[in-house]
Amino acid sequence: MALSTPSTSFAELSSATRVEIDRALASYCQFGPKCPVPLAEAIRYSLLAPGKRLRPLLCLWGAEAVGGVSKAAMPAACAVEMIHAYSLIHDDLPAMDDDDLRRGRPTCHKVYGEAVAILAGDALQALAFEIVARDLRPAHVAARCAALLAHAAGPCALVGGQADDLDPDRAATAGALESIHARKTGAMLSVSLQLGAVTAQCASDAEAALADYGRHLGLAFQIVDDLLDVSGDAATVGKRVGKDESRGKLTFPGVWGIAESRRRAAELIDAAIGAIEPLGATAQPLEALARYVLERDR
Amino acid sequence: MALSTPSTSFAELSSATRVEIDRALASYCQFGPKCPVPLAEAIRYSLLAPGKRLRPLLCLWGAEAVGGVSKAAMPAACAVEMIHAYSLIHDDLPAMDDDDLRRGRPTCHKVYGEAVAILAGDALQALAFEIVARDLRPAHVAARCAALLAHAAGPCALVGGQADDLDPDRAATAGALESIHARKTGAMLSVSLQLGAVTAQCASDAEAALADYGRHLGLAFQIVDDLLDVSGDAATVGKRVGKDESRGKLTFPGVWGIAESRRRAAELIDAAIGAIEPLGATAQPLEALARYVLERDR
């Protein structure tokens, strides 16, 4: 494994950018009097909760990796985090995964009730598209980013993956599991990078390199997530652990075992890093992010 | 009142266009294998249910009224119906209005369960933005339409109105009621017209005329809706009636009485028709639609 860089790299590289992301997200949550107070509070509670901001970082660093400017990609970075936040709110609902804890705090519906939680998720999805369509420049970049983001959030990706994940009758194979995660998690990670590339208006081979990186990273990310559910503790992971097994949910460690899952995740991270090597020094933050994803399980 | 045209006008004018709208909507619901079957079925069940297609008609006829071509506006027309369908699915959920009947059929969650219903709504919202951003031309029209639609569907409009409507502590005044409906119903009716105008790339005074029409129509529409809840029967209205009163929900007949509500609705329809008079003969379908909205209560 090529894990020579110290594990602090990601923390060092991301801390300043994360402050900028959080500031931009907060600025997008200043609603006027037409937005009811409980709704605005629920949106802010979920969106501005402390988080790693992996998707916005992928978007901004993706843009920089292919010669773009992160400032121009910031609306897209905020939008991918909004879609992510909305999907977490809805996934946590009693009718879905029924979770009480998220990022170490009570879930949105626990604090604001189910109706407001559903509406906060709905509003965050709309807000994501408003920001992309309104604030990205020029118009053809805005339109393409909105279309890509909508596809990744739609019935053949994010929402479809979640629907299959909830289906008790789906096939219990590694292939079915990969297909679910490619849609439920992978599509949004990939599109985060892709929006960065589109805002940078880069060449198609650079965009393809980012897409390869994203595909490998997405699967590795989910394997590590499943490993954390088996081996992590709730305080570190920030949500209830062991829940996958207790629900009979299909997981990678369940299919491959822990050691083999770890080996495959490491292999995927190496492949992700290999994919962006041709981009040179501007891709270094993405390399650090990939290493960090693997090290979350350490 | 200027109600000289026979009430069949709307039916005559809309029937062929409605067939085209339904065909376009159905064509947008052909998902590939990545979309789980129950999700695809729930989306089609709700979106393709028989309906008046008022919002798509406003979009297409709005485009034609200001010199545009309805074919170019069709993706926008489908998108507004998708947002409408998603909002109905979520409004009907047990945590929200808890309705069993919609358009004369069991509601989405009654047929497919709550989880799939929530996801079908989420998917329809994403799909609406994908279609607008991807299929409208040129790119600046696509981007502007996506931004306008997202704003109308967002926390300061559609979602905010629904949140306030569910709030038992909101003020019980005609002003509060108008504010709720302007966001919950009016914003989507107005944006349907506005997207038509934007796709037609018309002059700003023509767009303003459509906006005036939409504002008056939207409020009249909601007054008539409340009147139908008081005086209609479930078979005609297609959903449970009398539910507003039984829930202590604020309504226009409750605030103004039935006769005064009827008078105001008629006044608003006259004002709506007056607003589009300068547009000439191309606005005739919109005039028929406005008369139809009033006559729904007859």
Side-chain angles (χ1 to χ4, degrees):
Chain A
M1 278 195 303
L3 287 173
S4 53
T5 322
S7 62
T8 48
S9 285
F10 173 75
E12 279 167 9
L13 282 162
S14 65
S15 62
T17 312
R18 218 151 36 195
V19 171
E20 286 169 36
I21 293 164
D22 285 346
R23 195 177 297 139
L25 287 173
S27 78
Y28 279 128
C29 293
Q30 302 300 317
F31 307 113
K34 287 185 175 179
C35 178
V37 173
L39 179 65
E41 281 178 5
I43 291 170
R44 281 194 284 263
Y45 177 81
S46 293
L47 182 65
L48 306 179
K52 293 180 292 294
R53 311 288 181 239
L54 278 189
R55 290 156 191 80
L57 287 170
L58 285 171
C59 182
L60 301 178
W61 288 351
E64 287 179 350
V66 298
V69 184
S70 71
K71 203 182 164 194
M74 188 58 92
C78 290
V80 294
E81 187 68 9
M82 286 174 179
I83 295 287
H84 178 55
Y86 121 67
S87 76
L88 296 183
I89 296 173
H90 283 192
D91 284 3
D92 288 338
L93 287 168
M96 307 267 260
D97 292 345
D98 194 14
D99 269 311
D100 298 346
L101 197 62
R102 165 70 68 184
R103 289 175 174 176
R105 311 192 307 168
T107 45
C108 190
H109 67 271
K110 280 282 159 193
V111 181
Y112 297 96
E114 268 185 74
V116 171
I118 293 169
L119 292 169
D122 291 344
L124 276 165
Q125 177 163 208
L127 205 55
F129 291 111
E130 183 176 8
I131 288 165
V132 163
R134 187 192 64 202
D135 293 351
L136 291 179
R137 296 280 180 283
H140 71 86
V141 164
R144 181 146 181 250
C145 284
L148 289 167
L149 181 61
H151 188 81
C156 299
L158 177 67
V159 173
Q162 172 68 359
D164 261 347
D165 201 22
L166 290 170
D167 182 357
D169 300 326
R170 51 147 175 48
T173 63
L177 189 57
E178 276 193 42
S179 159
I180 287 170
H181 289 309
R183 286 171 289 155
K184 191 177 166 178
T185 314
M188 280 302 299
L189 295 174
S190 286
V191 87
S192 300
L193 290 156
Q194 203 177 3
L195 297 199
V198 173
T199 61
Q201 303 190 56
C202 68
S204 62
D205 58 338
E207 195 176 327
L210 285 186
D212 276 351
Y213 166 89
R215 209 164 20 250
H216 298 310
L217 182 82
L219 186 52
F221 181 86
Q222 194 55 50
I223 295 172
V224 173
D225 223 46
D226 283 0
L227 283 166
L228 283 168
D229 188 77
V230 175
S231 60
D233 65 285
T236 315
V237 182
K239 57 185 178 186
R240 192 148 49 86
V241 296
K243 63 176 182 173
D244 294 344
E245 200 189 345
S246 68
R247 286 174 195 174
K249 225 174 177 177
L250 195 61
T251 68
F252 289 106
V255 171
W256 292 330
I258 291 180
E260 175 66 7
S261 296
R262 285 212 169 115
R263 196 192 64 74
R264 294 213 192 187
E267 206 173 77
L268 285 159
I269 291 299
D270 281 346
I273 292 171
I276 50 170
E277 238 165 38
L279 300 175
T282 54
Q284 207 264 318
L286 290 182
E287 189 182 329
L289 189 151
R291 294 194 202 288
Y292 166 76
V293 162
L294 191 63
E295 285 158 15
R296 287 199 306 152
D297 182 40
R298 301 300 153 94
Chain B
M1 277 196 304
L3 285 175
S4 53
T5 322
S7 64
T8 48
S9 285
F10 173 75
E12 278 168 10
L13 282 162
S14 65
S15 63
T17 312
R18 218 152 33 197
V19 170
E20 284 169 37
I21 293 166
D22 285 346
R23 195 177 298 140
L25 287 173
S27 77
Y28 279 129
C29 293
Q30 302 302 318
F31 307 113
K34 286 184 174 179
C35 179
V37 172
L39 180 65
E41 282 179 4
I43 291 171
R44 281 193 284 262
Y45 177 82
S46 293
L47 181 66
L48 306 179
K52 293 179 293 293
R53 311 286 182 240
L54 278 189
R55 291 157 191 79
L57 287 170
L58 285 171
C59 182
L60 301 178
W61 287 351
E64 287 178 350
V66 298
V69 184
S70 72
K71 202 182 165 195
M74 188 58 92
C78 290
V80 295
E81 187 69 8
M82 286 174 181
I83 295 287
H84 178 56
Y86 121 68
S87 76
L88 297 183
I89 296 173
H90 282 192
D91 285 3
D92 288 338
L93 287 168
M96 308 268 259
D97 292 345
D98 193 14
D99 270 311
D100 298 346
L101 198 61
R102 165 71 66 184
R103 289 174 173 176
R105 311 192 307 168
T107 45
C108 190
H109 67 272
K110 279 281 160 195
V111 180
Y112 297 96
E114 268 186 73
V116 172
I118 294 169
L119 292 170
D122 291 344
L124 277 165
Q125 177 163 208
L127 205 55
F129 291 111
E130 183 176 7
I131 288 165
V132 164
R134 187 192 64 201
D135 293 351
L136 291 178
R137 297 278 180 279
H140 71 88
V141 164
R144 182 148 179 250
C145 285
L148 289 167
L149 181 61
H151 187 81
C156 299
L158 177 67
V159 172
Q162 171 68 358
D164 261 346
D165 201 22
L166 289 170
D167 182 358
D169 299 326
R170 50 148 175 46
T173 62
L177 189 57
E178 275 193 41
S179 159
I180 287 170
H181 289 309
R183 287 171 289 156
K184 191 177 165 178
T185 314
M188 281 302 299
L189 294 174
S190 287
V191 87
S192 300
L193 290 156
Q194 203 176 4
L195 297 200
V198 173
T199 61
Q201 303 190 56
C202 68
S204 63
D205 58 339
E207 195 176 327
L210 285 187
D212 276 351
Y213 166 89
R215 210 168 14 253
H216 299 310
L217 183 82
L219 186 52
F221 181 86
Q222 194 54 51
I223 295 172
V224 173
D225 222 47
D226 283 359
L227 282 165
L228 284 168
D229 188 76
V230 176
S231 59
D233 66 282
T236 314
V237 182
K239 56 186 178 186
R240 192 148 49 87
V241 297
K243 63 176 183 174
D244 294 344
E245 200 188 347
S246 69
R247 286 173 194 176
K249 226 173 175 177
L250 194 61
T251 68
F252 289 106
V255 171
W256 292 329
I258 289 178
E260 175 66 7
S261 296
R262 284 212 170 114
R263 196 193 63 73
R264 294 212 192 188
E267 207 173 77
L268 285 160
I269 291 299
D270 281 347
I273 292 170
I276 50 169
E277 239 166 37
L279 300 175
T282 54
Q284 207 264 318
L286 289 183
E287 190 183 329
L289 188 151
R291 295 194 203 287
Y292 166 76
V293 161
L294 192 62
E295 285 158 16
R296 285 199 307 152
D297 184 39
R298 301 298 153 92

